[in-house]
Amino acid sequence: MNEQLKAILEALIFISQEPLTLEKIKEALGEVPEDELQECLKSLIEGYSAVHHGIQIIQSGGGYLFTTKPEHDQWVRKLLQIEKKSKLSSAALETLSIIAYHQPITQAEISAIRGVDSTYCIKTLLQKKLIKIVGRKKAPGNPLVYRTSEKFLQYFGLNSLEDLPKEEEIAKILDEEKQSVS
Amino acid sequence: MNEQLKAILEALIFISQEPLTLEKIKEALGEVPEDELQECLKSLIEGYSAVHHGIQIIQSGGGYLFTTKPEHDQWVRKLLQIEKKSKLSSAALETLSIIAYHQPITQAEISAIRGVDSTYCIKTLLQKKLIKIVGRKKAPGNPLVYRTSEKFLQYFGLNSLEDLPKEEEIAKILDEEKQSVS
Amino acid sequence: MEQELQEPVERQLAEESWSGSSDGYQVKLEIFEGPLDLLLYLIRKKKIDIHDIPIAVITRDYLEYLEKKDRINLDREAEFLLIAALLIYIKSQMLLPREQEAAESDDPRQILVDRLLEYQKVKIACNFLREKEEDQLMRWRRTFLPPIARPEEAELLEVSLFDLAETFFLLMKKREKENLRIIKGKDVSVEEKMKEMIDYLEANGSMDFLEYFSAQETLEEALVSFFCLLELVKNHLVIAIQEQLFQTIRVWLRKARSHHQHGHSHE
């Protein structure tokens, strides 16, 4: 293990304002053997996952990032004198899930899946920058087309859209639910 | 050693913008035996002073705080430069939006719309190749005339400039907010 | 991360909908995200197989819910009614005598089943995202730079006259190569140009060296502007700054210049 590289990576992840991507690491450090880099990152993450640490490195939005651990939320809030952070409304979350799975998608398509007009939710999500307009659909009326944003991934602590449950996983969850109901 | 207290302290020092003082710690955590607190802090500081760490806890201004280690300064600075460069500042974005909607346009016209000198922003955008110079205006001083580039379209996932959201559409999305304010 | 991530309007609606319920377990319409949510709830409550919905039963339950509501938003009501209409339509289709054993795909319920299945997936995704959200909302990330490794303020290098001149002449050389056409016979006075530049700086705050000079109509005019700038720099009326090496040079008026400028214009 290249201890010095590991230390530098720790410093870089610590200092970065955004989740630190591999590209940026490479840009900053120049030539580093890929396997050595991966090894150090893995070891760093593992080290911080130990119980005696109050901070942790998570992968979010395609990069590495230090955060405090969820179990210390109350102490952090007490220190910073901040109220509990509020969640998205269920309507907004529903709209967002549909966009996540069906992107790029139009307002009409979202509303059709939900069975409810979703203009207001879309507006809210745009303002929170969790989704973005990415163009227009070649269809009558040329409606605007939406996608989830970078911030979407970061907000939910997802590394990429790949982290969303796959079709099979969802089917499995549904199966389990069915069994537990009957 | 109270491992949990140590973890919480780590989280608090990490998240605090000011050097974290003992008073602040006690305020957040309530009653904690002084010697236990001191023991945890000492152990934390010692732990991070090891060579394999890229960050450390220092005592400054009567409090504790995390910093990167001086020996990694060059990498840290390099990264911060990269991060600064890769960000589109809000000023640059503002300028870009004006160019997108008013092209072809000159620097003076952009500055007039923004009410701020925009030469630097234009330079940034030119460097990022999001805009291009397309000639000169037949006007006193023959100022340069700018347009958005191909890369601009790619960056925002647009097929053509026709795809830019229309003013009415944006107004509609933002409409409700305006109403609730008034 | 940011606060105010929940729309207060919607939350209020949801809260109101719980109030004043006479019938113990009865929940009112607003707590359902929409008609499909309500349908799914009914199907689950009755432990019905989604692929084989007893349409008559479900339609009755669904309509019962609609009737029990005391007040719902008209827009939302329309959406609930739309699905009610679909249910009734399907029911009527089911009652029609069939000429032959209908193929599976002819099942009039299929359209509803497809929508429910899709909606069910959305609900699962929602649960997943909600869990992730809860975890993330309790994690705190730093939103400031720690003090020691503070980045230097944008590295501003004050440009020497030499730098200024070199940049300019390189630029001019380039322009000559570009077959600059020189319009003769236009006299540009130094005073006029200097006034023009100061006016420009006063109006715009600063100017981009390269752009300003390359925007000059003639070489002569460009040269005059250049000497004006040298003059202004020499007299400490303006300051020329290069933000980073090899980048453009920006010119600013110096603060507390008014006195100088006054004196200057009287020369």
Side-chain angles (χ1 to χ4, degrees), chain A residues 14 17 56 67-68 73 85-89 94 102 112 116-117 128 154-155 167 177, chain C residues 4-6 10 33 36 44 79 115 118-119 121 130 133-134 137 139-142:
Chain A
F14 174 79
Q17 296 291 84
Q56 212 171 9
T67 71
T68 59
D73 174 55
K85 290 188 243 180
S86 52
K87 298 175 193 169
L88 288 171
S89 73
E94 212 178 279
H102 295 269
V116 182
D117 175 60
K128 294 185 194 306
Q154 286 195 31
Y155 180 78
E167 192 94 345
E177 274 184 10
Chain C
E4 27 95 353
L5 267 160
Q6 177 154 17
E10 292 186 25
E33 285 310 319
L36 295 173
R44 288 181 167 216
E79 285 154 353
R115 287 189 69 178
E118 185 59 47
Y119 187 72
K121 283 189 218 158
R130 186 64 90 194
E133 182 190 36
E134 273 162 12
L137 289 181
R139 288 179 183 276
W140 295 80
R141 47 186 284 190
R142 263 194 6 242

mmCIF file of all heavy atoms in Angstrom, chain A residues 14 17 56 67-68 73 85-89 94 102 112 116-117 128 154-155 167 177, chain C residues 4-6 10 33 36 44 79 115 118-119 121 130 133-134 137 139-142:
data_model
loop_
_atom_site.group_PDB
_atom_site.id
_atom_site.type_symbol
_atom_site.label_atom_id
_atom_site.label_comp_id
_atom_site.label_asym_id
_atom_site.label_seq_id
_atom_site.Cartn_x
_atom_site.Cartn_y
_atom_site.Cartn_z
ATOM 1 N N PHE A 14 -11.032 15.412 1.440
ATOM 2 C CA PHE A 14 -11.417 16.307 2.534
ATOM 3 C C PHE A 14 -11.634 17.736 2.046
ATOM 4 O O PHE A 14 -12.587 18.406 2.422
ATOM 5 C CB PHE A 14 -10.321 16.283 3.597
ATOM 6 C CG PHE A 14 -10.519 17.268 4.699
ATOM 7 C CD1 PHE A 14 -11.407 17.008 5.729
ATOM 8 C CD2 PHE A 14 -9.812 18.454 4.724
ATOM 9 C CE1 PHE A 14 -11.595 17.920 6.755
ATOM 10 C CE2 PHE A 14 -9.991 19.368 5.748
ATOM 11 C CZ PHE A 14 -10.879 19.098 6.762
ATOM 12 N N GLN A 17 -14.969 20.531 -2.458
ATOM 13 C CA GLN A 17 -16.294 21.036 -2.122
ATOM 14 C C GLN A 17 -17.398 20.151 -2.688
ATOM 15 O O GLN A 17 -18.497 20.113 -2.184
ATOM 16 C CB GLN A 17 -16.482 22.458 -2.656
ATOM 17 C CG GLN A 17 -15.555 23.478 -2.049
ATOM 18 C CD GLN A 17 -15.864 23.751 -0.594
ATOM 19 O OE1 GLN A 17 -15.417 23.020 0.275
ATOM 20 N NE2 GLN A 17 -16.635 24.784 -0.320
ATOM 21 N N GLN A 56 -17.088 9.768 7.625
ATOM 22 C CA GLN A 56 -17.112 8.632 6.730
ATOM 23 C C GLN A 56 -16.887 9.129 5.308
ATOM 24 O O GLN A 56 -17.236 10.268 4.993
ATOM 25 C CB GLN A 56 -18.519 8.014 6.818
ATOM 26 C CG GLN A 56 -18.558 6.541 6.622
ATOM 27 C CD GLN A 56 -19.932 5.981 6.949
ATOM 28 O OE1 GLN A 56 -20.885 6.715 7.154
ATOM 29 N NE2 GLN A 56 -20.028 4.673 6.967
ATOM 30 N N THR A 67 -18.596 12.770 4.897
ATOM 31 C CA THR A 67 -19.781 13.278 5.596
ATOM 32 C C THR A 67 -19.712 12.779 7.036
ATOM 33 O O THR A 67 -18.964 11.858 7.341
ATOM 34 C CB THR A 67 -21.110 12.763 5.004
ATOM 35 O OG1 THR A 67 -21.260 11.368 5.321
ATOM 36 C CG2 THR A 67 -21.172 12.939 3.497
ATOM 37 N N THR A 68 -20.532 13.392 7.882
ATOM 38 C CA THR A 68 -20.666 12.832 9.225
ATOM 39 C C THR A 68 -21.567 11.604 9.125
ATOM 40 O O THR A 68 -22.231 11.400 8.121
ATOM 41 C CB THR A 68 -21.309 13.855 10.175
ATOM 42 O OG1 THR A 68 -22.596 14.202 9.649
ATOM 43 C CG2 THR A 68 -20.463 15.115 10.270
ATOM 44 N N ASP A 73 -26.441 12.689 13.796
ATOM 45 C CA ASP A 73 -27.247 13.808 13.288
ATOM 46 C C ASP A 73 -27.676 14.774 14.387
ATOM 47 O O ASP A 73 -27.521 15.976 14.277
ATOM 48 C CB ASP A 73 -28.476 13.240 12.553
ATOM 49 C CG ASP A 73 -29.451 14.308 12.113
ATOM 50 O OD1 ASP A 73 -29.006 15.231 11.404
ATOM 51 O OD2 ASP A 73 -30.634 14.225 12.474
ATOM 52 N N LYS A 85 -33.622 18.497 8.847
ATOM 53 C CA LYS A 85 -33.838 18.845 7.437
ATOM 54 C C LYS A 85 -35.143 18.225 6.957
ATOM 55 O O LYS A 85 -35.469 17.096 7.311
ATOM 56 C CB LYS A 85 -32.679 18.315 6.594
ATOM 57 C CG LYS A 85 -31.374 19.075 6.847
ATOM 58 C CD LYS A 85 -30.323 18.649 5.852
ATOM 59 C CE LYS A 85 -29.166 17.989 6.556
ATOM 60 N NZ LYS A 85 -28.103 17.549 5.667
ATOM 61 N N SER A 86 -35.879 18.965 6.149
ATOM 62 C CA SER A 86 -37.189 18.438 5.751
ATOM 63 C C SER A 86 -37.090 17.603 4.481
ATOM 64 O O SER A 86 -36.217 17.792 3.648
ATOM 65 C CB SER A 86 -38.181 19.574 5.569
ATOM 66 O OG SER A 86 -37.652 20.546 4.729
ATOM 67 N N LYS A 87 -38.043 16.683 4.397
ATOM 68 C CA LYS A 87 -38.027 15.743 3.278
ATOM 69 C C LYS A 87 -38.833 16.281 2.099
ATOM 70 O O LYS A 87 -39.624 17.203 2.258
ATOM 71 C CB LYS A 87 -38.676 14.431 3.728
ATOM 72 C CG LYS A 87 -37.955 13.750 4.845
ATOM 73 C CD LYS A 87 -38.768 12.546 5.275
ATOM 74 C CE LYS A 87 -38.262 12.010 6.599
ATOM 75 N NZ LYS A 87 -39.182 11.021 7.161
ATOM 76 N N LEU A 88 -38.667 15.623 0.986
ATOM 77 C CA LEU A 88 -39.504 15.941 -0.170
ATOM 78 C C LEU A 88 -40.921 15.451 0.108
ATOM 79 O O LEU A 88 -41.112 14.456 0.804
ATOM 80 C CB LEU A 88 -38.980 15.211 -1.402
ATOM 81 C CG LEU A 88 -37.678 15.708 -2.014
ATOM 82 C CD1 LEU A 88 -37.208 14.730 -3.083
ATOM 83 C CD2 LEU A 88 -37.869 17.076 -2.627
ATOM 84 N N SER A 89 -41.903 16.116 -0.460
ATOM 85 C CA SER A 89 -43.278 15.630 -0.324
ATOM 86 C C SER A 89 -43.412 14.327 -1.101
ATOM 87 O O SER A 89 -42.631 14.055 -2.005
ATOM 88 C CB SER A 89 -44.249 16.652 -0.904
ATOM 89 O OG SER A 89 -44.165 16.650 -2.307
ATOM 90 N N GLU A 94 -42.648 10.935 -5.842
ATOM 91 C CA GLU A 94 -43.249 10.070 -6.852
ATOM 92 C C GLU A 94 -42.869 10.549 -8.250
ATOM 93 O O GLU A 94 -42.437 9.767 -9.094
ATOM 94 C CB GLU A 94 -44.769 10.119 -6.675
ATOM 95 C CG GLU A 94 -45.472 8.847 -7.042
ATOM 96 C CD GLU A 94 -46.965 8.950 -6.804
ATOM 97 O OE1 GLU A 94 -47.373 8.776 -5.646
ATOM 98 O OE2 GLU A 94 -47.705 9.202 -7.755
ATOM 99 N N HIS A 102 -37.669 6.805 -16.147
ATOM 100 C CA HIS A 102 -38.150 6.914 -17.523
ATOM 101 C C HIS A 102 -37.487 8.029 -18.306
ATOM 102 O O HIS A 102 -37.960 8.391 -19.360
ATOM 103 C CB HIS A 102 -39.668 7.115 -17.529
ATOM 104 C CG HIS A 102 -40.424 5.943 -16.997
ATOM 105 N ND1 HIS A 102 -40.863 4.928 -17.803
ATOM 106 C CD2 HIS A 102 -40.791 5.620 -15.735
ATOM 107 C CE1 HIS A 102 -41.491 4.023 -17.054
ATOM 108 N NE2 HIS A 102 -41.459 4.418 -15.803
ATOM 109 N N ALA A 112 -49.377 10.892 -16.876
ATOM 110 C CA ALA A 112 -50.108 9.687 -17.276
ATOM 111 C C ALA A 112 -49.772 8.531 -16.342
ATOM 112 O O ALA A 112 -50.648 7.795 -15.914
ATOM 113 C CB ALA A 112 -49.774 9.331 -18.718
ATOM 114 N N VAL A 116 -52.152 11.708 -12.188
ATOM 115 C CA VAL A 116 -52.377 13.008 -11.564
ATOM 116 C C VAL A 116 -51.562 14.048 -12.315
ATOM 117 O O VAL A 116 -50.447 13.757 -12.741
ATOM 118 C CB VAL A 116 -51.895 12.994 -10.089
ATOM 119 C CG1 VAL A 116 -52.162 14.325 -9.429
ATOM 120 C CG2 VAL A 116 -52.537 11.863 -9.321
ATOM 121 N N ASP A 117 -52.115 15.221 -12.460
ATOM 122 C CA ASP A 117 -51.373 16.303 -13.106
ATOM 123 C C ASP A 117 -50.118 16.612 -12.293
ATOM 124 O O ASP A 117 -50.184 16.745 -11.075
ATOM 125 C CB ASP A 117 -52.240 17.559 -13.199
ATOM 126 C CG ASP A 117 -51.458 18.729 -13.756
ATOM 127 O OD1 ASP A 117 -50.964 18.616 -14.887
ATOM 128 O OD2 ASP A 117 -51.306 19.740 -13.038
ATOM 129 N N LYS A 128 -35.682 23.074 -7.057
ATOM 130 C CA LYS A 128 -34.720 22.447 -6.160
ATOM 131 C C LYS A 128 -33.535 21.886 -6.928
ATOM 132 O O LYS A 128 -32.643 21.280 -6.352
ATOM 133 C CB LYS A 128 -35.390 21.317 -5.374
ATOM 134 C CG LYS A 128 -36.454 21.795 -4.413
ATOM 135 C CD LYS A 128 -36.975 20.632 -3.588
ATOM 136 C CE LYS A 128 -38.252 20.949 -2.850
ATOM 137 N NZ LYS A 128 -38.163 22.141 -2.009
ATOM 138 N N GLN A 154 -26.595 13.332 -5.814
ATOM 139 C CA GLN A 154 -25.985 13.735 -4.544
ATOM 140 C C GLN A 154 -27.008 13.786 -3.416
ATOM 141 O O GLN A 154 -26.719 13.419 -2.292
ATOM 142 C CB GLN A 154 -25.326 15.100 -4.702
ATOM 143 C CG GLN A 154 -24.050 15.033 -5.500
ATOM 144 C CD GLN A 154 -23.244 16.294 -5.320
ATOM 145 O OE1 GLN A 154 -23.281 16.932 -4.279
ATOM 146 N NE2 GLN A 154 -22.507 16.672 -6.354
ATOM 147 N N TYR A 155 -28.195 14.267 -3.748
ATOM 148 C CA TYR A 155 -29.222 14.411 -2.726
ATOM 149 C C TYR A 155 -29.561 13.063 -2.096
ATOM 150 O O TYR A 155 -29.785 12.957 -0.894
ATOM 151 C CB TYR A 155 -30.475 15.046 -3.336
ATOM 152 C CG TYR A 155 -31.608 15.236 -2.354
ATOM 153 C CD1 TYR A 155 -31.581 16.289 -1.446
ATOM 154 C CD2 TYR A 155 -32.684 14.364 -2.316
ATOM 155 C CE1 TYR A 155 -32.595 16.466 -0.530
ATOM 156 C CE2 TYR A 155 -33.713 14.528 -1.408
ATOM 157 C CZ TYR A 155 -33.660 15.579 -0.512
ATOM 158 O OH TYR A 155 -34.673 15.741 0.400
ATOM 159 N N GLU A 167 -35.122 -3.530 -12.467
ATOM 160 C CA GLU A 167 -36.436 -4.153 -12.671
ATOM 161 C C GLU A 167 -36.586 -5.447 -11.865
ATOM 162 O O GLU A 167 -37.570 -5.660 -11.173
ATOM 163 C CB GLU A 167 -36.596 -4.442 -14.179
ATOM 164 C CG GLU A 167 -37.997 -4.824 -14.575
ATOM 165 C CD GLU A 167 -38.798 -3.614 -15.037
ATOM 166 O OE1 GLU A 167 -38.377 -2.476 -14.793
ATOM 167 O OE2 GLU A 167 -39.846 -3.815 -15.618
ATOM 168 N N GLU A 177 -43.449 -8.740 -0.791
ATOM 169 C CA GLU A 177 -44.588 -8.032 -0.197
ATOM 170 C C GLU A 177 -45.850 -8.868 -0.329
ATOM 171 O O GLU A 177 -46.641 -8.967 0.587
ATOM 172 C CB GLU A 177 -44.792 -6.683 -0.893
ATOM 173 C CG GLU A 177 -43.924 -5.595 -0.294
ATOM 174 C CD GLU A 177 -44.191 -4.246 -0.925
ATOM 175 O OE1 GLU A 177 -45.171 -4.101 -1.685
ATOM 176 O OE2 GLU A 177 -43.392 -3.325 -0.671
ATOM 177 N N GLU C 4 -35.902 23.766 3.617
ATOM 178 C CA GLU C 4 -37.155 23.894 2.862
ATOM 179 C C GLU C 4 -37.247 22.930 1.691
ATOM 180 O O GLU C 4 -37.465 23.304 0.583
ATOM 181 C CB GLU C 4 -37.408 25.331 2.342
ATOM 182 C CG GLU C 4 -36.203 26.220 2.075
ATOM 183 C CD GLU C 4 -35.684 26.254 0.655
ATOM 184 O OE1 GLU C 4 -36.147 25.482 -0.193
ATOM 185 O OE2 GLU C 4 -34.796 27.051 0.415
ATOM 186 N N LEU C 5 -37.032 21.644 1.957
ATOM 187 C CA LEU C 5 -37.184 20.714 0.856
ATOM 188 C C LEU C 5 -38.589 20.127 0.775
ATOM 189 O O LEU C 5 -38.857 19.278 -0.030
ATOM 190 C CB LEU C 5 -36.127 19.614 0.931
ATOM 191 C CG LEU C 5 -34.896 20.007 0.104
ATOM 192 C CD1 LEU C 5 -33.672 19.228 0.529
ATOM 193 C CD2 LEU C 5 -35.148 19.821 -1.375
ATOM 194 N N GLN C 6 -39.447 20.565 1.621
ATOM 195 C CA GLN C 6 -40.807 20.079 1.497
ATOM 196 C C GLN C 6 -41.742 21.234 1.204
ATOM 197 O O GLN C 6 -41.655 22.284 1.806
ATOM 198 C CB GLN C 6 -41.236 19.411 2.808
ATOM 199 C CG GLN C 6 -42.672 18.945 2.747
ATOM 200 C CD GLN C 6 -42.915 17.793 3.680
ATOM 201 O OE1 GLN C 6 -42.138 17.552 4.568
ATOM 202 N NE2 GLN C 6 -43.981 17.084 3.469
ATOM 203 N N GLU C 10 -48.321 21.438 0.115
ATOM 204 C CA GLU C 10 -48.772 20.060 -0.004
ATOM 205 C C GLU C 10 -48.897 19.402 1.357
ATOM 206 O O GLU C 10 -49.787 18.615 1.586
ATOM 207 C CB GLU C 10 -47.803 19.268 -0.886
ATOM 208 C CG GLU C 10 -47.871 19.744 -2.316
ATOM 209 C CD GLU C 10 -47.043 18.889 -3.236
ATOM 210 O OE1 GLU C 10 -46.819 17.720 -2.881
ATOM 211 O OE2 GLU C 10 -46.632 19.380 -4.276
ATOM 212 N N GLU C 33 -51.929 9.761 -3.217
ATOM 213 C CA GLU C 33 -51.243 10.609 -4.181
ATOM 214 C C GLU C 33 -52.039 10.762 -5.461
ATOM 215 O O GLU C 33 -51.763 11.618 -6.267
ATOM 216 C CB GLU C 33 -49.846 10.063 -4.479
ATOM 217 C CG GLU C 33 -48.855 10.314 -3.373
ATOM 218 C CD GLU C 33 -48.868 11.772 -2.931
ATOM 219 O OE1 GLU C 33 -48.953 12.647 -3.811
ATOM 220 O OE2 GLU C 33 -48.812 12.024 -1.717
ATOM 221 N N LEU C 36 -54.659 6.124 -8.686
ATOM 222 C CA LEU C 36 -53.994 4.828 -8.767
ATOM 223 C C LEU C 36 -53.512 4.386 -7.400
ATOM 224 O O LEU C 36 -53.543 3.203 -7.055
ATOM 225 C CB LEU C 36 -52.808 4.909 -9.733
ATOM 226 C CG LEU C 36 -53.183 5.192 -11.198
ATOM 227 C CD1 LEU C 36 -51.940 5.418 -12.038
ATOM 228 C CD2 LEU C 36 -54.010 4.051 -11.763
ATOM 229 N N ARG C 44 -54.776 -3.977 -2.149
ATOM 230 C CA ARG C 44 -53.951 -4.587 -1.102
ATOM 231 C C ARG C 44 -54.770 -4.912 0.135
ATOM 232 O O ARG C 44 -54.566 -5.933 0.782
ATOM 233 C CB ARG C 44 -52.812 -3.653 -0.728
ATOM 234 C CG ARG C 44 -51.783 -3.613 -1.822
ATOM 235 C CD ARG C 44 -50.650 -2.718 -1.465
ATOM 236 N NE ARG C 44 -49.572 -2.971 -2.402
ATOM 237 C CZ ARG C 44 -48.300 -2.943 -2.076
ATOM 238 N NH1 ARG C 44 -47.949 -2.682 -0.841
ATOM 239 N NH2 ARG C 44 -47.376 -3.175 -2.969
ATOM 240 N N GLU C 79 -59.450 13.916 -11.566
ATOM 241 C CA GLU C 79 -58.547 12.795 -11.817
ATOM 242 C C GLU C 79 -59.089 11.497 -11.201
ATOM 243 O O GLU C 79 -58.988 10.427 -11.797
ATOM 244 C CB GLU C 79 -57.160 13.110 -11.254
ATOM 245 C CG GLU C 79 -56.410 14.104 -12.145
ATOM 246 C CD GLU C 79 -55.380 14.928 -11.410
ATOM 247 O OE1 GLU C 79 -55.317 14.841 -10.162
ATOM 248 O OE2 GLU C 79 -54.629 15.658 -12.081
ATOM 249 N N ARG C 115 -51.343 -0.230 -15.968
ATOM 250 C CA ARG C 115 -51.074 1.036 -15.269
ATOM 251 C C ARG C 115 -50.767 0.790 -13.798
ATOM 252 O O ARG C 115 -49.877 1.420 -13.227
ATOM 253 C CB ARG C 115 -52.263 1.982 -15.407
ATOM 254 C CG ARG C 115 -52.389 2.558 -16.807
ATOM 255 C CD ARG C 115 -53.423 3.650 -16.871
ATOM 256 N NE ARG C 115 -52.991 4.846 -16.149
ATOM 257 C CZ ARG C 115 -53.718 5.956 -16.105
ATOM 258 N NH1 ARG C 115 -54.884 6.020 -16.712
ATOM 259 N NH2 ARG C 115 -53.271 7.003 -15.439
ATOM 260 N N GLU C 118 -47.266 -0.632 -13.376
ATOM 261 C CA GLU C 118 -46.265 0.422 -13.547
ATOM 262 C C GLU C 118 -46.232 1.303 -12.302
ATOM 263 O O GLU C 118 -45.175 1.652 -11.787
ATOM 264 C CB GLU C 118 -46.624 1.248 -14.795
ATOM 265 C CG GLU C 118 -45.597 2.310 -15.171
ATOM 266 C CD GLU C 118 -44.222 1.729 -15.446
ATOM 267 O OE1 GLU C 118 -44.163 0.728 -16.186
ATOM 268 O OE2 GLU C 118 -43.240 2.269 -14.911
ATOM 269 N N TYR C 119 -47.418 1.643 -11.815
ATOM 270 C CA TYR C 119 -47.495 2.526 -10.661
ATOM 271 C C TYR C 119 -46.916 1.871 -9.406
ATOM 272 O O TYR C 119 -46.281 2.521 -8.576
ATOM 273 C CB TYR C 119 -48.944 2.940 -10.419
ATOM 274 C CG TYR C 119 -49.064 3.990 -9.353
ATOM 275 C CD1 TYR C 119 -48.645 5.289 -9.596
ATOM 276 C CD2 TYR C 119 -49.555 3.678 -8.096
ATOM 277 C CE1 TYR C 119 -48.720 6.251 -8.619
ATOM 278 C CE2 TYR C 119 -49.635 4.639 -7.103
ATOM 279 C CZ TYR C 119 -49.215 5.921 -7.369
ATOM 280 O OH TYR C 119 -49.276 6.872 -6.392
ATOM 281 N N LYS C 121 -44.458 -0.164 -9.357
ATOM 282 C CA LYS C 121 -42.997 -0.038 -9.436
ATOM 283 C C LYS C 121 -42.560 1.327 -8.947
ATOM 284 O O LYS C 121 -41.561 1.471 -8.242
ATOM 285 C CB LYS C 121 -42.536 -0.212 -10.889
ATOM 286 C CG LYS C 121 -42.522 -1.642 -11.353
ATOM 287 C CD LYS C 121 -41.841 -1.696 -12.714
ATOM 288 C CE LYS C 121 -42.506 -2.699 -13.617
ATOM 289 N NZ LYS C 121 -42.234 -2.424 -15.035
ATOM 290 N N ARG C 130 -36.861 7.199 -0.585
ATOM 291 C CA ARG C 130 -37.154 7.788 0.719
ATOM 292 C C ARG C 130 -36.132 7.341 1.767
ATOM 293 O O ARG C 130 -35.652 8.130 2.563
ATOM 294 C CB ARG C 130 -38.577 7.404 1.150
ATOM 295 C CG ARG C 130 -39.035 8.061 2.411
ATOM 296 C CD ARG C 130 -39.135 9.566 2.298
ATOM 297 N NE ARG C 130 -40.447 10.014 1.863
ATOM 298 C CZ ARG C 130 -40.705 11.245 1.426
ATOM 299 N NH1 ARG C 130 -39.733 12.154 1.360
ATOM 300 N NH2 ARG C 130 -41.911 11.594 1.052
ATOM 301 N N GLU C 133 -32.978 9.072 1.124
ATOM 302 C CA GLU C 133 -33.105 10.470 1.523
ATOM 303 C C GLU C 133 -32.925 10.601 3.033
ATOM 304 O O GLU C 133 -32.194 11.468 3.504
ATOM 305 C CB GLU C 133 -34.472 11.013 1.110
ATOM 306 C CG GLU C 133 -34.665 12.480 1.454
ATOM 307 C CD GLU C 133 -36.100 12.951 1.251
ATOM 308 O OE1 GLU C 133 -37.029 12.162 1.522
ATOM 309 O OE2 GLU C 133 -36.289 14.098 0.831
ATOM 310 N N GLU C 134 -33.602 9.714 3.770
ATOM 311 C CA GLU C 134 -33.506 9.786 5.225
ATOM 312 C C GLU C 134 -32.070 9.646 5.700
ATOM 313 O O GLU C 134 -31.607 10.367 6.568
ATOM 314 C CB GLU C 134 -34.409 8.721 5.869
ATOM 315 C CG GLU C 134 -35.819 9.253 6.046
ATOM 316 C CD GLU C 134 -36.847 8.165 6.263
ATOM 317 O OE1 GLU C 134 -36.461 7.001 6.495
ATOM 318 O OE2 GLU C 134 -38.048 8.487 6.175
ATOM 319 N N LEU C 137 -30.139 12.877 4.671
ATOM 320 C CA LEU C 137 -30.505 14.083 5.406
ATOM 321 C C LEU C 137 -29.858 14.118 6.786
ATOM 322 O O LEU C 137 -29.744 15.157 7.399
ATOM 323 C CB LEU C 137 -32.027 14.204 5.532
ATOM 324 C CG LEU C 137 -32.779 14.547 4.239
ATOM 325 C CD1 LEU C 137 -34.267 14.665 4.513
ATOM 326 C CD2 LEU C 137 -32.266 15.834 3.613
ATOM 327 N N ARG C 139 -26.810 12.987 7.226
ATOM 328 C CA ARG C 139 -25.364 13.137 7.030
ATOM 329 C C ARG C 139 -25.082 14.601 6.747
ATOM 330 O O ARG C 139 -25.817 15.253 6.022
ATOM 331 C CB ARG C 139 -24.907 12.328 5.814
ATOM 332 C CG ARG C 139 -24.925 10.858 6.040
ATOM 333 C CD ARG C 139 -24.479 10.155 4.779
ATOM 334 N NE ARG C 139 -24.567 8.738 4.960
ATOM 335 C CZ ARG C 139 -23.619 8.005 5.542
ATOM 336 N NH1 ARG C 139 -22.501 8.591 5.942
ATOM 337 N NH2 ARG C 139 -23.772 6.726 5.698
ATOM 338 N N TRP C 140 -24.008 15.064 7.299
ATOM 339 C CA TRP C 140 -23.661 16.466 7.082
ATOM 340 C C TRP C 140 -22.354 16.551 6.343
ATOM 341 O O TRP C 140 -21.387 15.878 6.672
ATOM 342 C CB TRP C 140 -23.594 17.196 8.422
ATOM 343 C CG TRP C 140 -24.939 17.233 9.070
ATOM 344 C CD1 TRP C 140 -25.523 16.225 9.775
ATOM 345 C CD2 TRP C 140 -25.886 18.283 9.017
ATOM 346 N NE1 TRP C 140 -26.773 16.600 10.177
ATOM 347 C CE2 TRP C 140 -27.028 17.859 9.733
ATOM 348 C CE3 TRP C 140 -25.886 19.557 8.444
ATOM 349 C CZ2 TRP C 140 -28.152 18.652 9.878
ATOM 350 C CZ3 TRP C 140 -27.008 20.348 8.599
ATOM 351 C CH2 TRP C 140 -28.127 19.897 9.305
ATOM 352 N N ARG C 141 -22.360 17.381 5.324
ATOM 353 C CA ARG C 141 -21.111 17.594 4.599
ATOM 354 C C ARG C 141 -20.656 19.016 4.841
ATOM 355 O O ARG C 141 -21.463 19.900 5.121
ATOM 356 C CB ARG C 141 -21.284 17.310 3.114
ATOM 357 C CG ARG C 141 -22.516 17.945 2.499
ATOM 358 C CD ARG C 141 -22.697 17.515 1.089
ATOM 359 N NE ARG C 141 -21.763 18.189 0.210
ATOM 360 C CZ ARG C 141 -21.825 18.137 -1.101
ATOM 361 N NH1 ARG C 141 -22.760 17.425 -1.686
ATOM 362 N NH2 ARG C 141 -20.955 18.780 -1.843
ATOM 363 N N ARG C 142 -19.371 19.203 4.747
ATOM 364 C CA ARG C 142 -18.840 20.539 4.943
ATOM 365 C C ARG C 142 -19.208 21.411 3.766
ATOM 366 O O ARG C 142 -19.198 20.963 2.630
ATOM 367 C CB ARG C 142 -17.335 20.470 5.059
ATOM 368 C CG ARG C 142 -16.820 20.460 6.465
ATOM 369 C CD ARG C 142 -15.354 20.729 6.420
ATOM 370 N NE ARG C 142 -14.991 21.035 5.040
ATOM 371 C CZ ARG C 142 -14.154 20.323 4.339
ATOM 372 N NH1 ARG C 142 -13.566 19.304 4.869
ATOM 373 N NH2 ARG C 142 -13.896 20.651 3.110
#
